[in-house]
Amino acid sequence: MPTVQSWPALLDQLLNGESLSAKQATALMQGWLSEQIDPVLTGGLLAALRAKGVNGEELAAMAEVLREACPLPASRPSIALVDTCGTGGDGADSFNISTAVAFVAAACGANVAKHGNRSASGRVGSADVLEAVGIHLQAPQEQVIGALPSAGVTFLFAPGWHPALVGLAPLRRSLGVRTVFNLLGPLVNPLRPEAQVLGVARPDLLDPMAEALARLGLRRAVVVHGQGGLDEASLAGVNSLRLVKSGVVSSDQLDPEALGLQLAPIADLAGGDLATNQAILEAVLQGRASRAQADVVALNAALVLWAAGLTDSVAAGLSLAQQAIANGAGWQALERLRAALPAPVAG
């Protein structure tokens, strides 16, 4: 591991636009977790890394350190899991699409271990809306994992699973800008899912995130950047994809119109405050949402079903997801999770 005196050299390297080697990225993350690096220097390193642009090798190396700091629980069931956690940060203020997707995919037979957090900005985060519908965010880890066999879905509230990051939280909040840690969150699900659908808000993140997922050994994954800047597949036009399959990354596109869906602007997917987002989540899962709301969830759930290996095509997954939304099966999945992780009674 580099000595304290070498951290400025890494900063200088980043300021010169030079990428870190995997060994350097590993050492940097270890230095952050062990609080070896002065907070002012840490701020400079995070800013320089963002300005340079992070690559897949750097992301995978840092993610491995965070994974090692959060050992795989012994109670992790020996079933294939899929995550629907993305990077956020698209500024679209849409409703909680990936959260709805998790329940619809579970209703279609996927085993979903959704990793998420509260909102870091004005948006309502996945944890916020799930807490509002009665899910206990801070249930014991054994209970969270134990929900999977009965519910087909569970939620891992990130702060409760990554204590090593607690020391960095005040600095990240004080910086007030998105950093590499926002990109690492979706890569460090404590249950190590074999598959994932990961949304990114910028097209330049497609390749590094896909490379990172491939390096981390996921069997199948989809990285998606939605038309109109959404960090989900959108209905506004053709979406950009990176497909990861057995370590190989390929490029593809996803055209909702070609799948028989009606195009819709990003504004049709708008959320609002917590009560609004809760109402939309419930409406989608109970089969009474607007056409655009239901369609965008079905489209993204179709990607999850492909990643989980349950379908051979997005079209086949779309049909299954649409049926699960129409008949309220997604809501039944949420009710099963709520029964497994009931919110504590106040007082």
Side-chain angles (χ1 to χ4, degrees):
M1 183 182 298
T3 63
V4 173
Q5 289 77 15
S6 69
W7 302 126
L10 283 189
L11 176 58
D12 192 55
Q13 181 176 333
L14 291 171
L15 290 172
N16 288 329
E18 301 172 19
S19 294
L20 303 179
S21 67
K23 184 176 180 180
Q24 287 175 318
T26 296
L28 181 57
M29 182 57 68
Q30 290 171 339
W32 278 329
L33 295 188
S34 60
E35 299 183 6
Q36 291 186 31
I37 310 175
D38 178 83
V40 173
L41 187 54
T42 288
L45 286 161
L46 289 171
L49 194 57
R50 172 171 166 172
K52 177 193 74 70
V54 70
N55 63 36
E57 182 178 23
E58 292 165 333
L59 285 169
M62 291 181 180
E64 287 284 14
V65 175
L66 292 173
R67 285 180 164 206
E68 289 171 8
C70 179
L72 185 68
S75 55
R76 198 269 202 202
S78 55
I79 56 176
L81 300 175
V82 61
D83 193 2
T84 64
C85 181
T87 63
D90 60 11
D93 290 328
S94 58
F95 72 95
N96 299 92
I97 296 171
S98 67
T99 305
V101 166
F103 294 106
V104 172
C108 295
N111 293 300
V112 184
K114 179 161 176 56
H115 189 217
N117 209 336
R118 296 191 187 278
S119 172
S121 60
R123 286 184 67 186
V124 177
S126 55
D128 301 309
V129 75
L130 289 177
E131 184 177 53
V133 297
I135 306 298
H136 186 15
L137 299 183
Q138 296 172 322
Q141 292 187 2
E142 295 76 12
Q143 189 178 355
V144 171
I145 296 171
L148 276 164
S150 60
V153 57
T154 197
F155 182 74
L156 294 89
F157 182 43
W161 293 79
H162 297 284
L165 290 174
V166 171
L168 282 169
L171 174 64
R172 292 177 61 197
R173 284 194 296 268
S174 68
L175 284 173
V177 296
R178 296 179 65 80
T179 70
V180 67
F181 285 98
N182 297 95
L183 305 182
L184 288 168
L187 303 177
V188 294
N189 186 314
L191 297 188
R192 315 285 200 279
E194 291 82 358
Q196 185 164 352
V197 173
L198 195 164
V200 295
R202 305 195 321 261
D204 62 294
L205 293 174
L206 284 163
D207 289 325
M209 296 303 285
E211 182 185 349
L213 290 170
R215 287 175 176 268
L216 291 169
L218 272 77
R219 185 187 70 243
R220 277 193 185 188
V222 180
V223 183
V224 55
H225 172 68
Q227 182 68 241
L230 200 66
D231 67 328
E232 323 270 359
S234 86
L235 304 172
V238 179
N239 303 281
S240 299
L241 305 180
R242 296 295 183 272
L243 307 180
V244 179
K245 190 173 182 180
S246 302
V248 178
V249 178
S250 60
S251 298
D252 205 346
Q253 293 183 323
L254 181 65
D255 183 353
E257 199 169 23
L259 291 168
L261 299 178
Q262 182 174 305
L263 295 183
I266 301 296
D268 285 3
L269 310 177
D273 60 12
L274 180 57
T276 298
N277 281 33
Q278 178 185 349
I280 295 173
L281 175 66
E282 294 175 353
V284 169
L285 297 181
Q286 293 171 6
R288 51 184 182 81
S290 72
R291 178 171 180 170
Q293 291 166 343
D295 282 354
V296 78
V297 170
L299 181 62
N300 282 278
L303 293 177
V304 175
L305 296 177
W306 178 86
L310 296 178
T311 61
D312 292 327
S313 69
V314 175
L318 180 64
S319 178
L320 290 175
Q322 288 173 322
Q323 182 178 354
I325 291 171
N327 65 21
W331 179 250
Q332 294 169 23
L334 186 148
E335 289 190 312
R336 291 194 298 270
L337 181 60
R338 185 163 55 190
L341 301 177
V345 178

Short mmCIF file of all heavy atoms in Angstrom, two decimals, residues 281-337:
data_model
loop_
_atom_site.label_atom_id
_atom_site.label_comp_id
_atom_site.label_asym_id
_atom_site.label_seq_id
_atom_site.Cartn_x
_atom_site.Cartn_y
_atom_site.Cartn_z
N LEU A 281 -46.00 4.07 -7.14
CA LEU A 281 -45.51 2.71 -6.97
C LEU A 281 -46.67 1.74 -6.74
O LEU A 281 -46.75 0.67 -7.37
CB LEU A 281 -44.52 2.64 -5.81
CG LEU A 281 -43.99 1.25 -5.43
CD1 LEU A 281 -43.14 0.69 -6.56
CD2 LEU A 281 -43.20 1.30 -4.13
N GLU A 282 -47.57 2.12 -5.85
CA GLU A 282 -48.70 1.25 -5.56
C GLU A 282 -49.60 1.08 -6.79
O GLU A 282 -50.07 -0.02 -7.09
CB GLU A 282 -49.50 1.82 -4.37
CG GLU A 282 -48.70 1.78 -3.07
CD GLU A 282 -49.43 2.45 -1.91
OE1 GLU A 282 -50.50 3.06 -2.15
OE2 GLU A 282 -48.93 2.36 -0.77
N ALA A 283 -49.82 2.17 -7.52
CA ALA A 283 -50.68 2.10 -8.70
C ALA A 283 -50.08 1.20 -9.77
O ALA A 283 -50.79 0.39 -10.39
CB ALA A 283 -50.91 3.51 -9.26
N VAL A 284 -48.76 1.32 -10.00
CA VAL A 284 -48.11 0.46 -10.99
C VAL A 284 -48.26 -1.00 -10.61
O VAL A 284 -48.66 -1.85 -11.43
CB VAL A 284 -46.62 0.83 -11.13
CG1 VAL A 284 -45.88 -0.22 -11.96
CG2 VAL A 284 -46.44 2.20 -11.77
N LEU A 285 -47.93 -1.33 -9.38
CA LEU A 285 -47.92 -2.73 -8.96
C LEU A 285 -49.32 -3.32 -8.85
O LEU A 285 -49.49 -4.55 -8.94
CB LEU A 285 -47.18 -2.87 -7.62
CG LEU A 285 -45.70 -2.47 -7.65
CD1 LEU A 285 -45.07 -2.68 -6.28
CD2 LEU A 285 -44.92 -3.26 -8.71
N GLN A 286 -50.32 -2.47 -8.69
CA GLN A 286 -51.70 -2.95 -8.61
C GLN A 286 -52.41 -2.91 -9.96
O GLN A 286 -53.61 -3.20 -10.05
CB GLN A 286 -52.47 -2.10 -7.59
CG GLN A 286 -51.98 -2.31 -6.16
CD GLN A 286 -52.58 -1.32 -5.18
OE1 GLN A 286 -53.45 -0.52 -5.54
NE2 GLN A 286 -52.13 -1.35 -3.94
N GLY A 287 -51.68 -2.55 -11.03
CA GLY A 287 -52.26 -2.59 -12.36
C GLY A 287 -53.21 -1.45 -12.68
O GLY A 287 -54.09 -1.59 -13.53
N ARG A 288 -53.03 -0.30 -12.02
CA ARG A 288 -53.93 0.83 -12.27
C ARG A 288 -53.16 2.13 -12.56
O ARG A 288 -53.69 3.22 -12.35
CB ARG A 288 -54.89 1.01 -11.08
CG ARG A 288 -54.23 1.08 -9.74
CD ARG A 288 -55.23 1.16 -8.58
NE ARG A 288 -54.55 1.26 -7.30
CZ ARG A 288 -54.06 2.38 -6.79
NH1 ARG A 288 -54.19 3.53 -7.48
NH2 ARG A 288 -53.46 2.39 -5.63
N ALA A 289 -51.95 2.02 -13.03
CA ALA A 289 -51.14 3.19 -13.36
C ALA A 289 -51.45 3.68 -14.76
O ALA A 289 -52.21 3.04 -15.52
CB ALA A 289 -49.66 2.85 -13.24
N SER A 290 -50.83 4.81 -15.13
CA SER A 290 -50.97 5.30 -16.50
C SER A 290 -50.25 4.35 -17.45
O SER A 290 -49.42 3.53 -17.03
CB SER A 290 -50.37 6.70 -16.63
OG SER A 290 -48.94 6.63 -16.56
N ARG A 291 -50.58 4.47 -18.71
CA ARG A 291 -49.95 3.59 -19.69
C ARG A 291 -48.44 3.76 -19.70
O ARG A 291 -47.69 2.77 -19.71
CB ARG A 291 -50.52 3.87 -21.09
CG ARG A 291 -49.89 3.03 -22.18
CD ARG A 291 -50.61 3.17 -23.51
NE ARG A 291 -49.98 2.35 -24.54
CZ ARG A 291 -50.51 2.13 -25.74
NH1 ARG A 291 -51.69 2.67 -26.06
NH2 ARG A 291 -49.88 1.37 -26.62
N ALA A 292 -47.96 4.99 -19.68
CA ALA A 292 -46.51 5.24 -19.72
C ALA A 292 -45.83 4.67 -18.48
O ALA A 292 -44.75 4.07 -18.58
CB ALA A 292 -46.23 6.73 -19.86
N GLN A 293 -46.44 4.86 -17.32
CA GLN A 293 -45.85 4.35 -16.08
C GLN A 293 -45.74 2.82 -16.12
O GLN A 293 -44.69 2.25 -15.79
CB GLN A 293 -46.68 4.79 -14.88
CG GLN A 293 -46.60 6.28 -14.59
CD GLN A 293 -47.68 6.75 -13.62
OE1 GLN A 293 -48.67 6.06 -13.38
NE2 GLN A 293 -47.49 7.95 -13.06
N ALA A 294 -46.80 2.17 -16.54
CA ALA A 294 -46.78 0.71 -16.62
C ALA A 294 -45.81 0.22 -17.68
O ALA A 294 -45.07 -0.75 -17.47
CB ALA A 294 -48.19 0.19 -16.91
N ASP A 295 -45.79 0.89 -18.83
CA ASP A 295 -44.94 0.45 -19.93
C ASP A 295 -43.45 0.57 -19.59
O ASP A 295 -42.65 -0.31 -19.93
CB ASP A 295 -45.23 1.26 -21.19
CG ASP A 295 -46.49 0.79 -21.91
OD1 ASP A 295 -47.07 -0.23 -21.50
OD2 ASP A 295 -46.89 1.46 -22.89
N VAL A 296 -43.06 1.67 -18.93
CA VAL A 296 -41.64 1.84 -18.63
C VAL A 296 -41.18 0.80 -17.61
O VAL A 296 -40.05 0.30 -17.68
CB VAL A 296 -41.33 3.28 -18.18
CG1 VAL A 296 -41.73 3.52 -16.72
CG2 VAL A 296 -39.85 3.57 -18.37
N VAL A 297 -42.03 0.45 -16.66
CA VAL A 297 -41.68 -0.59 -15.70
C VAL A 297 -41.60 -1.95 -16.39
O VAL A 297 -40.67 -2.73 -16.17
CB VAL A 297 -42.70 -0.62 -14.54
CG1 VAL A 297 -42.48 -1.85 -13.65
CG2 VAL A 297 -42.57 0.65 -13.71
N ALA A 298 -42.55 -2.24 -17.26
CA ALA A 298 -42.52 -3.51 -17.99
C ALA A 298 -41.27 -3.63 -18.86
O ALA A 298 -40.64 -4.70 -18.94
CB ALA A 298 -43.78 -3.66 -18.83
N LEU A 299 -40.91 -2.53 -19.53
CA LEU A 299 -39.74 -2.55 -20.40
C LEU A 299 -38.47 -2.84 -19.62
O LEU A 299 -37.64 -3.66 -20.03
CB LEU A 299 -39.63 -1.20 -21.12
CG LEU A 299 -38.48 -1.04 -22.11
CD1 LEU A 299 -38.60 -2.04 -23.26
CD2 LEU A 299 -38.44 0.39 -22.67
N ASN A 300 -38.32 -2.18 -18.48
CA ASN A 300 -37.12 -2.40 -17.68
C ASN A 300 -37.13 -3.76 -16.99
O ASN A 300 -36.08 -4.40 -16.84
CB ASN A 300 -36.97 -1.27 -16.66
CG ASN A 300 -36.42 0.01 -17.28
OD1 ASN A 300 -35.23 0.17 -17.47
ND2 ASN A 300 -37.33 0.91 -17.65
N ALA A 301 -38.31 -4.22 -16.60
CA ALA A 301 -38.41 -5.56 -16.03
C ALA A 301 -38.03 -6.62 -17.06
O ALA A 301 -37.43 -7.65 -16.71
CB ALA A 301 -39.82 -5.81 -15.50
N ALA A 302 -38.34 -6.36 -18.32
CA ALA A 302 -37.96 -7.29 -19.38
C ALA A 302 -36.44 -7.45 -19.47
O ALA A 302 -35.93 -8.55 -19.70
CB ALA A 302 -38.53 -6.82 -20.71
N LEU A 303 -35.72 -6.35 -19.27
CA LEU A 303 -34.26 -6.43 -19.25
C LEU A 303 -33.78 -7.27 -18.07
O LEU A 303 -32.83 -8.05 -18.19
CB LEU A 303 -33.65 -5.03 -19.17
CG LEU A 303 -33.85 -4.12 -20.37
CD1 LEU A 303 -33.27 -2.73 -20.10
CD2 LEU A 303 -33.20 -4.72 -21.62
N VAL A 304 -34.44 -7.12 -16.91
CA VAL A 304 -34.07 -7.90 -15.73
C VAL A 304 -34.29 -9.38 -15.98
O VAL A 304 -33.46 -10.22 -15.62
CB VAL A 304 -34.87 -7.42 -14.50
CG1 VAL A 304 -34.57 -8.30 -13.29
CG2 VAL A 304 -34.54 -5.97 -14.18
N LEU A 305 -35.39 -9.72 -16.60
CA LEU A 305 -35.69 -11.13 -16.86
C LEU A 305 -34.69 -11.74 -17.82
O LEU A 305 -34.31 -12.91 -17.69
CB LEU A 305 -37.12 -11.28 -17.38
CG LEU A 305 -38.22 -10.85 -16.40
CD1 LEU A 305 -39.59 -10.98 -17.04
CD2 LEU A 305 -38.16 -11.67 -15.11
N TRP A 306 -34.22 -10.96 -18.81
CA TRP A 306 -33.17 -11.45 -19.69
C TRP A 306 -31.87 -11.64 -18.91
O TRP A 306 -31.21 -12.68 -19.02
CB TRP A 306 -32.92 -10.49 -20.87
CG TRP A 306 -31.80 -10.97 -21.74
CD1 TRP A 306 -31.89 -11.85 -22.78
CD2 TRP A 306 -30.41 -10.65 -21.59
NE1 TRP A 306 -30.64 -12.09 -23.31
CE2 TRP A 306 -29.71 -11.37 -22.61
CE3 TRP A 306 -29.68 -9.84 -20.74
CZ2 TRP A 306 -28.32 -11.30 -22.76
CZ3 TRP A 306 -28.30 -9.76 -20.89
CH2 TRP A 306 -27.63 -10.48 -21.89
N ALA A 307 -31.51 -10.64 -18.10
CA ALA A 307 -30.27 -10.73 -17.33
C ALA A 307 -30.30 -11.93 -16.37
O ALA A 307 -29.28 -12.60 -16.17
CB ALA A 307 -30.04 -9.44 -16.55
N ALA A 308 -31.47 -12.20 -15.79
CA ALA A 308 -31.60 -13.31 -14.86
C ALA A 308 -31.63 -14.67 -15.56
O ALA A 308 -31.64 -15.71 -14.90
CB ALA A 308 -32.87 -13.13 -14.03
N GLY A 309 -31.65 -14.65 -16.88
CA GLY A 309 -31.65 -15.90 -17.64
C GLY A 309 -33.02 -16.56 -17.72
O GLY A 309 -33.12 -17.74 -18.08
N LEU A 310 -34.08 -15.81 -17.41
CA LEU A 310 -35.42 -16.39 -17.45
C LEU A 310 -36.06 -16.30 -18.82
O LEU A 310 -37.04 -17.01 -19.09
CB LEU A 310 -36.31 -15.69 -16.42
CG LEU A 310 -35.90 -15.86 -14.95
CD1 LEU A 310 -36.83 -15.09 -14.04
CD2 LEU A 310 -35.88 -17.34 -14.57
N THR A 311 -35.56 -15.42 -19.67
CA THR A 311 -36.05 -15.32 -21.04
C THR A 311 -34.87 -15.20 -21.99
O THR A 311 -33.79 -14.75 -21.61
CB THR A 311 -36.98 -14.10 -21.23
OG1 THR A 311 -36.25 -12.91 -20.94
CG2 THR A 311 -38.19 -14.18 -20.33
N ASP A 312 -35.09 -15.57 -23.23
CA ASP A 312 -34.05 -15.46 -24.24
C ASP A 312 -34.12 -14.17 -25.03
O ASP A 312 -33.24 -13.88 -25.83
CB ASP A 312 -34.14 -16.65 -25.22
CG ASP A 312 -33.78 -17.97 -24.56
OD1 ASP A 312 -32.91 -17.95 -23.65
OD2 ASP A 312 -34.37 -18.99 -24.93
N SER A 313 -35.19 -13.39 -24.81
CA SER A 313 -35.34 -12.14 -25.54
C SER A 313 -36.06 -11.12 -24.67
O SER A 313 -36.81 -11.48 -23.75
CB SER A 313 -36.14 -12.36 -26.83
OG SER A 313 -37.50 -12.67 -26.52
N VAL A 314 -35.83 -9.85 -24.98
CA VAL A 314 -36.52 -8.79 -24.26
C VAL A 314 -38.02 -8.84 -24.57
O VAL A 314 -38.85 -8.59 -23.70
CB VAL A 314 -35.93 -7.42 -24.65
CG1 VAL A 314 -36.72 -6.28 -24.00
CG2 VAL A 314 -34.47 -7.33 -24.21
N ALA A 315 -38.37 -9.19 -25.79
CA ALA A 315 -39.78 -9.26 -26.17
C ALA A 315 -40.53 -10.27 -25.31
O ALA A 315 -41.66 -10.01 -24.84
CB ALA A 315 -39.92 -9.61 -27.64
N ALA A 316 -39.92 -11.43 -25.07
CA ALA A 316 -40.57 -12.45 -24.24
C ALA A 316 -40.71 -11.96 -22.81
O ALA A 316 -41.74 -12.17 -22.16
CB ALA A 316 -39.77 -13.75 -24.28
N GLY A 317 -39.68 -11.29 -22.31
CA GLY A 317 -39.74 -10.75 -20.96
C GLY A 317 -40.78 -9.65 -20.83
O GLY A 317 -41.45 -9.53 -19.79
N LEU A 318 -40.94 -8.85 -21.87
CA LEU A 318 -41.92 -7.77 -21.85
C LEU A 318 -43.34 -8.32 -21.69
O LEU A 318 -44.14 -7.80 -20.91
CB LEU A 318 -41.82 -6.94 -23.13
CG LEU A 318 -42.78 -5.77 -23.26
CD1 LEU A 318 -42.52 -4.73 -22.18
CD2 LEU A 318 -42.66 -5.13 -24.66
N SER A 319 -43.63 -9.39 -22.39
CA SER A 319 -44.95 -10.00 -22.30
C SER A 319 -45.22 -10.50 -20.88
O SER A 319 -46.32 -10.28 -20.33
CB SER A 319 -45.07 -11.15 -23.30
OG SER A 319 -46.32 -11.79 -23.20
N LEU A 320 -44.23 -11.14 -20.27
CA LEU A 320 -44.39 -11.64 -18.90
C LEU A 320 -44.59 -10.48 -17.92
O LEU A 320 -45.44 -10.55 -17.02
CB LEU A 320 -43.16 -12.46 -18.49
CG LEU A 320 -42.97 -13.82 -19.17
CD1 LEU A 320 -41.63 -14.42 -18.73
CD2 LEU A 320 -44.12 -14.75 -18.81
N ALA A 321 -43.80 -9.44 -18.08
CA ALA A 321 -43.88 -8.30 -17.17
C ALA A 321 -45.22 -7.58 -17.30
O ALA A 321 -45.81 -7.17 -16.29
CB ALA A 321 -42.73 -7.34 -17.45
N GLN A 322 -45.69 -7.42 -18.52
CA GLN A 322 -46.99 -6.76 -18.72
C GLN A 322 -48.11 -7.54 -18.04
O GLN A 322 -49.01 -6.96 -17.44
CB GLN A 322 -47.27 -6.61 -20.22
CG GLN A 322 -46.40 -5.56 -20.90
CD GLN A 322 -46.57 -5.55 -22.41
OE1 GLN A 322 -46.72 -6.61 -23.04
NE2 GLN A 322 -46.56 -4.37 -23.00
N GLN A 323 -48.03 -8.86 -18.12
CA GLN A 323 -49.05 -9.69 -17.48
C GLN A 323 -49.00 -9.55 -15.96
O GLN A 323 -50.03 -9.45 -15.29
CB GLN A 323 -48.86 -11.15 -17.89
CG GLN A 323 -49.90 -12.09 -17.32
CD GLN A 323 -49.71 -13.52 -17.79
OE1 GLN A 323 -48.85 -13.80 -18.62
NE2 GLN A 323 -50.51 -14.43 -17.26
N ALA A 324 -47.77 -9.52 -15.41
CA ALA A 324 -47.61 -9.41 -13.96
C ALA A 324 -48.12 -8.06 -13.44
O ALA A 324 -48.63 -7.97 -12.31
CB ALA A 324 -46.14 -9.60 -13.57
N ILE A 325 -47.96 -7.03 -14.23
CA ILE A 325 -48.48 -5.72 -13.85
C ILE A 325 -50.00 -5.69 -13.94
O ILE A 325 -50.69 -5.23 -13.03
CB ILE A 325 -47.86 -4.62 -14.74
CG1 ILE A 325 -46.36 -4.46 -14.43
CG2 ILE A 325 -48.59 -3.29 -14.54
CD1 ILE A 325 -45.62 -3.55 -15.39
N ALA A 326 -50.52 -6.23 -15.02
CA ALA A 326 -51.98 -6.19 -15.25
C ALA A 326 -52.75 -6.95 -14.18
O ALA A 326 -53.84 -6.54 -13.77
CB ALA A 326 -52.30 -6.72 -16.64
N ASN A 327 -52.20 -8.09 -13.73
CA ASN A 327 -52.95 -8.92 -12.77
C ASN A 327 -52.58 -8.66 -11.31
O ASN A 327 -53.04 -9.36 -10.40
CB ASN A 327 -52.81 -10.40 -13.11
CG ASN A 327 -51.38 -10.91 -12.97
OD1 ASN A 327 -50.54 -10.32 -12.29
ND2 ASN A 327 -51.07 -12.03 -13.64
N GLY A 328 -51.74 -7.63 -11.07
CA GLY A 328 -51.41 -7.27 -9.70
C GLY A 328 -50.40 -8.18 -9.03
O GLY A 328 -50.21 -8.09 -7.80
N ALA A 329 -49.71 -9.02 -9.79
CA ALA A 329 -48.74 -9.94 -9.19
C ALA A 329 -47.55 -9.20 -8.57
O ALA A 329 -46.96 -9.65 -7.59
CB ALA A 329 -48.24 -10.95 -10.23
N GLY A 330 -47.22 -8.03 -9.15
CA GLY A 330 -46.14 -7.23 -8.57
C GLY A 330 -46.49 -6.75 -7.17
O GLY A 330 -45.64 -6.72 -6.28
N TRP A 331 -47.75 -6.36 -6.98
CA TRP A 331 -48.19 -5.92 -5.66
C TRP A 331 -48.16 -7.08 -4.66
O TRP A 331 -47.81 -6.91 -3.49
CB TRP A 331 -49.60 -5.35 -5.75
CG TRP A 331 -50.12 -4.89 -4.42
CD1 TRP A 331 -51.11 -5.46 -3.68
CD2 TRP A 331 -49.66 -3.77 -3.66
NE1 TRP A 331 -51.31 -4.77 -2.51
CE2 TRP A 331 -50.43 -3.72 -2.47
CE3 TRP A 331 -48.68 -2.80 -3.87
CZ2 TRP A 331 -50.25 -2.75 -1.49
CZ3 TRP A 331 -48.50 -1.82 -2.90
CH2 TRP A 331 -49.27 -1.80 -1.73
N GLN A 332 -48.51 -8.27 -5.11
CA GLN A 332 -48.45 -9.44 -4.23
C GLN A 332 -47.02 -9.70 -3.78
O GLN A 332 -46.78 -10.09 -2.62
CB GLN A 332 -49.03 -10.65 -4.95
CG GLN A 332 -50.52 -10.55 -5.23
CD GLN A 332 -51.02 -11.63 -6.16
OE1 GLN A 332 -50.42 -12.70 -6.29
NE2 GLN A 332 -52.14 -11.36 -6.83
N ALA A 333 -46.03 -9.47 -4.68
CA ALA A 333 -44.63 -9.63 -4.30
C ALA A 333 -44.25 -8.61 -3.23
O ALA A 333 -43.53 -8.94 -2.26
CB ALA A 333 -43.73 -9.48 -5.52
N LEU A 334 -44.73 -7.37 -3.37
CA LEU A 334 -44.44 -6.36 -2.34
C LEU A 334 -45.08 -6.75 -1.02
O LEU A 334 -44.46 -6.60 0.05
CB LEU A 334 -44.95 -4.99 -2.79
CG LEU A 334 -44.59 -3.82 -1.87
CD1 LEU A 334 -44.40 -2.54 -2.66
CD2 LEU A 334 -45.65 -3.58 -0.79
N GLU A 335 -46.29 -7.26 -1.06
CA GLU A 335 -46.96 -7.67 0.19
C GLU A 335 -46.22 -8.81 0.86
O GLU A 335 -46.14 -8.87 2.10
CB GLU A 335 -48.41 -8.05 -0.10
CG GLU A 335 -49.29 -6.85 -0.45
CD GLU A 335 -50.76 -7.20 -0.48
OE1 GLU A 335 -51.11 -8.23 -1.12
OE2 GLU A 335 -51.56 -6.46 0.11
N ARG A 336 -45.65 -9.71 0.08
CA ARG A 336 -44.87 -10.80 0.67
C ARG A 336 -43.62 -10.26 1.36
O ARG A 336 -43.25 -10.72 2.45
CB ARG A 336 -44.48 -11.83 -0.41
CG ARG A 336 -45.65 -12.63 -0.96
CD ARG A 336 -45.19 -13.84 -1.74
NE ARG A 336 -44.38 -13.50 -2.91
CZ ARG A 336 -44.87 -13.29 -4.12
NH1 ARG A 336 -46.20 -13.35 -4.32
NH2 ARG A 336 -44.08 -13.02 -5.15
N LEU A 337 -42.97 -9.29 0.73
CA LEU A 337 -41.78 -8.71 1.36
C LEU A 337 -42.16 -7.93 2.62
O LEU A 337 -41.46 -8.00 3.63
CB LEU A 337 -41.05 -7.78 0.37
CG LEU A 337 -39.77 -7.13 0.93
CD1 LEU A 337 -38.75 -8.20 1.35
CD2 LEU A 337 -39.15 -6.18 -0.09
#
